[in-house]
Amino acid sequence: MKNLYLVLFLFTTITIFSQNTLKGKISNQENIPLEGVNVYFDGTTISTISDSKGNFTIQYEPNANNILVISFMGYQTEYLTGLDVAKPLNIAMSVSKNELKEVVINTNELFTRAQKLKLFREYFLGKTNNAKGTIIQNESDLHFKYDKDKFIFTAFSDKPLAIINEALGYKIDFELVVFEVAFNKLSIASKDVIKNFYGGVSRFEDINNSTEVLERRQKTYEGSQIQFFRNFAKKDWGIKKFILLNDDNSIDPLKRFRIIEEEDFVKVEILPQPKGEIKNENLKDIVASYNIAFTELKNQKLLF
């Protein structure tokens, strides 16, 4: 069972919130309006583009706390929080610096591109039935690097990844900010992975919202990582929900975590785990190690 990390979970149901209208104008540093700028809330289907005068309007739910993403080719992406519908936005985008990462072709590479793509798909898309039919349309835009000294595999793309998830009826544009897989030795095999994480922002587009697909989305959401972290932030634990465990013994989460609600986010303070409970000596620099369970799902490991 793979370790559960705080990542952006691509293939779960997306909540559409009640409608408010947020307005704004987008220009460059010379105050020239920018047309066709992508404006969207991270992890939702809520999106729009700016018009010829740089103006845009978009649905907004203040209590949702989603990040507003302003993205345009050739300009630095803007990420906005703490929005107020009563105050129209005035956004001045900056031209991107030449941040294209250097791609080095090394004839002495230990691993083939096919092996690297296989690893990326496994830890980015997953191995669920929904993920198996998912396609990254522009895999050629992906670049990989393997640090042979630190045993760390990284991936990056200068363009958003265009992903088609047929099973859940979504097209996803994902701006990959970070992707890293660490191994315990010089390897690219899953059995040697000790930790992994990725992050970025995503825009969803419905391509199929039939009854069957909607039911599949709901089933996928139940017990998912995104549901876990939402419940975690709300202190929502219990029977028919998520349960925190040490071995097979239930633990009171409120005695193990301190949840602090900030204006735009929720901060989780991890309290030190009692001595003797962390039994895996191979886990270095770990503050706490627990199992979690959701109804009848198998336990998963939660590391901090």
Side-chain angles (χ1 to χ4, degrees):
M1 184 63 63
K2 289 188 172 59
N3 295 337
L4 178 64
Y5 294 91
L6 177 57
V7 295
L8 295 178
F9 192 74
L10 286 177
F11 306 112
T12 56
T13 188
I14 300 301
T15 303
I16 302 300
F17 302 96
S18 61
Q19 297 181 12
N20 286 296
T21 300
L22 179 69
K23 297 181 179 181
K25 182 173 183 178
I26 305 171
S27 60
N28 61 17
Q29 293 294 317
E30 287 73 41
N31 203 31
I32 298 175
L34 296 177
E35 180 181 4
V37 178
N38 293 307
V39 181
Y40 62 93
F41 284 103
D42 176 37
T44 75
T45 58
I46 305 173
S47 65
T48 188
I49 60 173
S50 60
D51 62 20
S52 60
K53 296 182 179 180
N55 296 318
F56 71 89
T57 59
I58 191 169
Q59 300 171 15
Y60 176 51
E61 169 52 56
N63 295 325
N65 288 328
N66 291 84
I67 297 171
L68 182 68
V69 183
I70 314 294
S71 176
F72 195 47
M73 185 66 69
Y75 289 82
Q76 295 181 15
T77 301
E78 302 285 339
Y79 307 99
L80 305 178
T81 59
L83 305 172
D84 185 350
V85 292
K87 299 178 181 178
L89 295 172
N90 192 357
I91 302 164
M93 300 191 73
S94 300
V95 175
S96 294
K97 299 177 182 178
N98 186 15
E99 295 178 345
L100 294 178
K101 299 179 177 64
E102 182 180 6
V103 180
V104 179
I105 305 300
N106 190 341
T107 57
N108 295 321
E109 283 286 345
L110 293 176
F111 310 113
T112 66
R113 180 170 177 81
Q115 289 176 303
K116 295 172 183 177
L117 274 172
K118 181 177 182 295
L119 180 74
F120 180 82
R121 293 190 194 108
E122 179 177 347
Y123 284 93
F124 182 69
L125 300 176
K127 296 194 296 184
T128 66
N129 289 332
N130 291 334
K132 288 178 182 178
T134 300
I135 299 171
I136 302 175
Q137 294 181 312
N138 58 333
E139 284 186 339
S140 60
D141 290 325
L142 280 165
H143 302 290
F144 305 117
K145 181 180 179 181
Y146 195 109
D147 188 323
K148 299 176 185 177
D149 297 321
K150 298 180 179 179
F151 313 144
I152 294 177
F153 172 85
T154 56
F156 62 91
S157 174
D158 296 311
K159 299 178 181 179
L161 300 179
I163 303 163
I164 301 295
N165 186 331
E166 292 284 358
L168 298 182
Y170 285 126
K171 178 181 182 297
I172 306 126
D173 291 324
F174 192 91
E175 294 189 30
L176 186 65
V177 175
V178 59
F179 180 94
E180 182 176 301
V181 179
F183 298 84
N184 58 15
K185 62 180 181 180
L186 189 60
S187 169
I188 203 167
S190 296
K191 63 182 179 64
D192 298 317
V193 172
I194 55 176
K195 66 178 181 179
N196 70 283
F197 66 91
Y198 70 86
V201 292
S202 56
R203 176 178 59 182
F204 285 69
E205 178 184 339
D206 268 316
I207 57 175
N208 184 349
N209 57 3
S210 65
T211 301
E212 180 182 359
V213 167
L214 293 177
E215 290 176 351
R216 194 179 299 133
R217 290 180 190 176
Q218 182 60 35
K219 184 177 180 180
T220 301
Y221 175 72
E222 294 174 354
S224 68
Q225 291 181 13
I226 193 169
Q227 185 186 28
F228 169 74
F229 287 113
R230 284 176 176 172
N231 287 14
F232 195 174
K234 296 176 181 177
K235 307 178 187 178
D236 192 7
W237 302 78
I239 298 174
K240 294 187 178 180
K241 299 177 184 178
F242 289 93
I243 302 173
L244 191 70
L245 303 167
N246 180 46
D247 292 332
D248 293 327
N249 300 315
S250 178
I251 301 173
D252 182 359
L254 300 182
K255 295 182 179 179
R256 301 303 177 97
F257 308 102
R258 185 176 292 116
I259 307 298
I260 304 169
E261 296 186 10
E262 302 287 352
E263 182 178 353
D264 297 322
F265 59 90
V266 173
K267 181 169 66 176
V268 178
E269 181 180 340
I270 304 160
L271 304 179
Q273 189 172 6
K275 293 182 179 180
E277 284 192 2
I278 302 180
K279 301 177 182 179
N280 191 338
E281 297 179 355
N282 295 322
L283 298 177
K284 298 180 180 179
D285 302 321
I286 297 298
V287 176
S289 173
Y290 302 109
N291 291 324
I292 58 170
F294 179 77
T295 60
E296 298 179 357
L297 295 180
K298 294 182 179 179
N299 292 351
Q300 296 188 56
K301 183 68 71 177
L302 186 65
L303 302 177
F304 300 96

